[in-house]
Amino acid sequence: MKRQLFFGSFLTLLFGGLIYVLFRTATLRMFGWYETIGLSGLTNVMRKLTFKFANQIPEWILFSLPDGLWIFSYVCLMLAIWQNSVSLKNTLWILIIPILAIGSEIGQLFGLVVGTFDLTDLLFYIFGMTLPFIFFTKTINLKFKFQ
């Protein structure tokens, strides 16, 4: 369980965040937050060393991988909370964030959500949601009881 939380949840969240900090444009809202909490000096130093390499990194790594990693991190955390067992009781809690992410991407496709639909983003959301189930689940019990 500790490995799952460290590798599955913490490191994937950290890695996704580092991609943003090190290689994404400084006009993102989060850089204002870093300034507010006094971290802009640290992020600026880190970015001076790495940002020049951003144009050499494939777009899917810069723009889609972090989202997939964050979904992966969330699902790993939720599975750990529920001892890696999936049931009707916890399915909504485990899948709420992935469903919102996938739904918003599909909503962009149909113009229901502001933004640009990206198939690569959608695939990373789906992989980020699915892989923790493959790696970590012990039981899946979604039996419906009809009385």
Side-chain angles (χ1 to χ4, degrees):
M1 192 70 69
K2 288 180 183 179
R3 284 185 184 169
Q4 176 180 347
L5 287 173
F6 183 73
F7 292 107
S9 200
F10 177 73
L11 278 185
T12 54
L13 184 66
L14 178 66
F15 188 62
L18 282 174
I19 291 171
Y20 265 68
V21 170
L22 300 178
F23 302 110
R24 298 289 299 269
T25 179
T27 59
L28 294 172
R29 184 170 290 147
M30 64 183 215
F31 288 101
W33 300 338
Y34 295 150
E35 188 171 342
T36 300
I37 62 173
L39 289 178
S40 61
L42 175 63
T43 58
N44 289 339
V45 168
M46 292 167 51
R47 289 173 61 76
K48 282 182 183 175
L49 298 171
T50 60
F51 192 74
K52 58 189 168 199
F53 301 107
N55 62 354
Q56 299 171 10
I57 298 173
E59 284 190 12
W60 66 268
I61 291 176
L62 294 176
F63 300 107
S64 300
L65 180 60
D67 297 337
L69 290 171
W70 292 334
I71 296 290
F72 186 94
S73 174
Y74 171 81
V75 173
C76 282
L77 177 63
M78 290 295 105
L79 286 173
I81 288 170
W82 296 96
Q83 284 87 39
N84 293 321
S85 293
V86 180
S87 68
L88 284 175
K89 294 177 186 176
N90 62 19
T91 301
L92 176 65
W93 295 108
I94 295 169
L95 295 180
I96 189 73
I97 297 299
I99 288 169
L100 289 172
I102 291 167
S104 70
E105 198 65 38
I106 293 170
Q108 290 173 11
L109 176 65
F110 295 105
L112 302 172
V113 175
V114 176
T116 304
F117 172 77
D118 187 329
L119 180 60
T120 307
D121 286 349
L122 182 61
L123 292 174
F124 272 89
Y125 290 147
I126 292 168
F127 287 140
M129 176 184 69
T130 307
L131 290 175
F133 288 97
I134 294 169
F135 295 149
F136 300 115
T137 53
K138 292 190 285 188
T139 62
I140 297 179
N141 183 7
L142 298 178
K143 295 178 184 173
F144 294 96
K145 294 180 183 177
F146 296 102
Q147 295 176 341

